[in-house]
Amino acid sequence: MPVYIALLRAVNVGGTGSLPMAELKAICEGLGFSDVKTYIQSGNVLLRSDEAEKVVVERLDDALGKKMGKRPGVMVRSRKELDKIATDAPFPEARPNFLLVYFLPEKAPGDALETMVAPDGEEAKLAGREIYVHYPNGSGRSKLKLPALKPGTSRNLNTVRKLAEMAAALEDGD
């Protein structure tokens, strides 16, 4: 049974609202997903399902919308995809916590970076359903403007690597 990594948008960071990870785990188990594991309090959950990725996204986003009053947005990736995202990260000089991966619900258009305003020297790279952004001064005070990021959710490279490691352990434990 495939392992999926679900990344929730706008949860516990001033967005849609607060959702304790124990509740997220219970919601996932209630939907019939197995081997559910959460990671840190920012909406990361690993799970197993025989269903297709799009079905997992729809069912989880719908259940969370009922719980929270609004669908937060859920991005799902497979273990292999997450491994590739971590391995292919550009900007090798960037500190991992200053390199954010924005996970998008669908592939960004090829011209997505053309409207970018990067006053602090931020750099970005498109990669399918992800956009990598290097924040040389950190993302906290950045004035970066990049509309293509809006529908997505971000995780720093350290978190992406940890989620990939957890997914590998879960999948390899078969």
Side-chain angles (χ1 to χ4, degrees):
M1 191 178 317
V3 172
Y4 291 111
I5 302 89
L7 306 159
L8 281 55
R9 183 176 175 274
V11 172
N12 300 319
V13 289
T16 303
S18 181
L19 177 68
M21 294 300 96
E23 283 186 45
L24 174 57
K25 182 176 181 183
I27 288 168
C28 290
E29 290 171 343
L31 291 170
F33 301 138
S34 61
D35 292 332
V36 178
K37 296 183 183 337
T38 61
Y39 177 67
I40 63 177
Q41 190 70 27
S42 60
N44 305 300
V45 62
L46 294 92
L47 55 89
R48 287 183 184 273
S49 176
D50 280 329
E51 297 173 317
E53 178 184 306
K54 288 182 184 225
V55 175
V56 171
V57 168
E58 186 61 28
R59 290 184 65 224
L60 184 53
D61 206 24
D62 184 56
L64 291 167
K66 288 175 182 164
K67 168 73 177 162
M68 302 170 81
K70 178 182 175 188
R71 287 175 165 230
V74 175
M75 289 5 104
V76 170
R77 300 297 187 266
S78 70
R79 174 219 173 154
K80 285 184 181 180
E81 287 173 313
L82 213 60
D83 280 342
K84 184 169 174 35
I85 291 163
T87 301
D88 292 353
F91 315 117
E93 75 289 348
R95 293 186 293 190
N97 57 325
F98 282 48
L99 177 55
L100 271 59
V101 180
Y102 286 83
F103 295 87
L104 306 172
E106 54 192 45
K107 185 176 178 181
D111 64 353
L113 301 182
E114 289 180 16
T115 60
M116 182 169 86
V117 177
D120 295 320
E122 298 90 349
E123 302 172 274
K125 181 178 181 207
L126 286 176
R129 295 188 296 167
E130 287 75 41
I131 298 176
Y132 296 89
V133 179
H134 173 218
Y135 293 89
N137 302 318
S139 63
R141 289 186 223 127
S142 172
K143 302 292 186 217
L144 175 75
K145 289 186 174 74
L146 184 52
L149 302 178
K150 189 167 175 49
T153 187
S154 67
R155 302 296 185 272
N156 72 41
L157 188 57
N158 286 329
T159 299
V160 173
R161 287 175 175 159
K162 180 63 177 176
L163 290 169
E165 176 186 307
M166 291 173 68
L170 189 59
E171 204 167 81
D172 293 344
D174 284 340

